Amino acid sequence: MNVHLAVWLLLCLIWGSTWIFIKLGLDDWPPFTFAGMRFLLAAAILWVIVFLRKDSLPRTRRDWLLIAWLGVTSFAVNYGLVFWGENRIPSGLTAVLQSMIPAFGLVMAHHLLPGERITVAKLVGIALGIAGVAVIFADQMKIAGASALWGSGAIIVSALVVAYTNVLVKLRCGHLSTAPLVAGQMTFAIVPLFAVGWFVEGSPLKLRWTPLAAASLVYLAVVGSVIAFLLYYWLVRKIDVTKTMLISLVTPVVALLIGWLVRGEAVSWRLALGSAAIISGISLIVVRRRTETVAMKST
């Protein structure tokens, strides 16, 4: 098997499985503190890697301020909302709603990145995605009431935040080394996550350390954060970025399947219909962009 394909498939499996480990850990730990613990461990490992590899660190105050802002938004706000939201909805649904990231990113990229304009096909894809979200929201309101609705809303907001930070990284961070960039963001996210956690959830020193919570933490930090991010950035440099975007189409399917197998999470026809609409919309956007890229290369 081609090594690029093997890494691509591995990332689909890893990021499709992280949702269930978040759900399992939330059985014992509160969301913001749990997210803070994940990135405390992941950042510590990444900084060891940075210094062992002697990666170049950001040199200017402006770069560090940018990394701090990305850490607060992309990791603290995003993952705080993800962990909080998933505490109220199934893991598979969380992954489906997060797959809206590329659609939100297209709208932002249209205004900020000259080479990524919105087309009719992309608009249709965005419309399908929004329609899918609406169907899922209605379904969750019917099944679990306001709590699930708030949880779903938190995941949508987190997807919007990630889309914004992805565009910002593409605009401003091309000159920064990958490991220090990711480690720095995680480091700056730790303080706000623990601060919010302490205020609304209590002292992190009083966590109930169960084998399942510890295993979930280690998996999310080591596999879902350190290994996954390093593999992803390696893959981005080896294959077309449009191909890496296809990962976002596969992870919700993996997450829904794992959630059903491990926790018996129900898949209603409305959830299936909404998920199909979201994935179809994102697929239309990605496949269309890939076609346009190939056409440009052939001219």
Side-chain angles (χ1 to χ4, degrees):
M1 180 185 291
N2 181 288
V3 65
H4 298 159
L5 176 60
V7 171
W8 189 91
L9 290 171
L10 181 58
L11 283 171
C12 289
L13 179 60
I14 290 174
W15 277 331
S17 64
T18 53
W19 307 102
I20 193 64
F21 280 96
I22 292 174
K23 196 70 174 177
L24 292 172
L26 287 170
D27 287 342
D28 296 305
W29 288 355
F32 294 103
T33 303
F34 187 16
M37 292 291 290
R38 172 183 180 175
F39 295 121
L40 177 64
L41 178 57
I45 296 170
L46 277 170
W47 282 122
V48 171
I49 293 173
V50 167
F51 289 113
L52 288 176
R53 299 195 327 191
K54 298 181 180 179
D55 287 332
S56 58
L57 299 176
R59 298 182 181 278
T60 67
R61 181 172 177 267
R62 184 176 181 179
D63 285 340
W64 281 111
L65 287 174
L66 176 59
I67 290 173
W69 174 247
L70 287 169
V72 171
T73 52
S74 183
F75 283 88
V77 175
N78 167 37
Y79 282 98
L81 289 172
V82 165
F83 278 60
W84 184 86
E86 194 172 335
N87 209 24
R88 288 157 175 78
I89 60 176
S91 60
L93 173 58
T94 307
V96 170
L97 293 176
Q98 269 261 312
S99 70
M100 284 294 293
I101 291 171
F104 289 138
L106 280 174
V107 177
M108 297 178 186
H110 174 77
H111 297 286
L112 299 173
L113 300 174
E116 301 192 25
R117 299 300 182 187
I118 290 179
T119 63
V120 173
K122 292 174 182 177
L123 283 174
V124 173
I126 292 171
L128 275 172
I130 293 173
V133 170
V135 170
I136 290 173
F137 265 39
D139 188 36
Q140 290 302 300
M141 190 67 170
K142 180 180 178 182
I143 294 174
S147 178
L149 184 64
W150 280 107
S152 299
I155 303 304
I156 290 295
V157 173
S158 76
L160 184 63
V161 171
V162 173
Y164 158 73
T165 56
N166 283 349
V167 173
L168 190 59
V169 167
K170 189 168 184 178
L171 273 172
R172 305 280 180 82
C173 299
H175 62 292
L176 298 174
S177 298
T178 299
L181 172 62
V182 178
Q185 291 179 74
M186 290 181 182
T187 302
F188 282 109
I190 293 168
V191 173
L193 283 171
F194 276 123
V196 174
W198 192 299
F199 181 74
V200 301
E201 299 165 351
S203 171
L205 300 177
K206 297 180 180 180
L207 289 177
R208 188 165 66 96
W209 283 83
T210 65
L212 186 58
S216 298
L217 173 64
V218 171
Y219 184 86
L220 290 170
V222 177
V223 181
S225 298
V226 175
I227 294 176
F229 277 109
L230 292 179
L231 283 176
Y232 178 75
Y233 281 107
W234 175 85
L235 191 63
V236 166
R237 290 179 170 87
K238 300 295 183 180
I239 67 174
D240 293 340
V241 68
T242 50
K243 293 179 181 177
T244 64
M245 287 182 65
L246 291 171
I247 295 172
S248 66
L249 305 182
V250 180
T251 51
V253 179
V254 175
L256 284 169
L257 180 60
I258 293 176
W260 173 67
L261 290 172
V262 176
R263 292 179 66 95
E265 294 178 353
V267 181
S268 68
W269 72 267
R270 289 180 181 272
L271 175 56
L273 179 62
S275 301
I278 292 173
I279 293 172
S280 297
I282 303 302
S283 179
L284 179 62
I285 292 167
V286 174
V287 172
R288 180 68 178 178
R289 181 185 289 183
R290 182 182 178 186
T291 303
E292 290 171 353
T293 302
V294 172
M296 289 176 63
K297 288 181 178 179
S298 64
T299 57

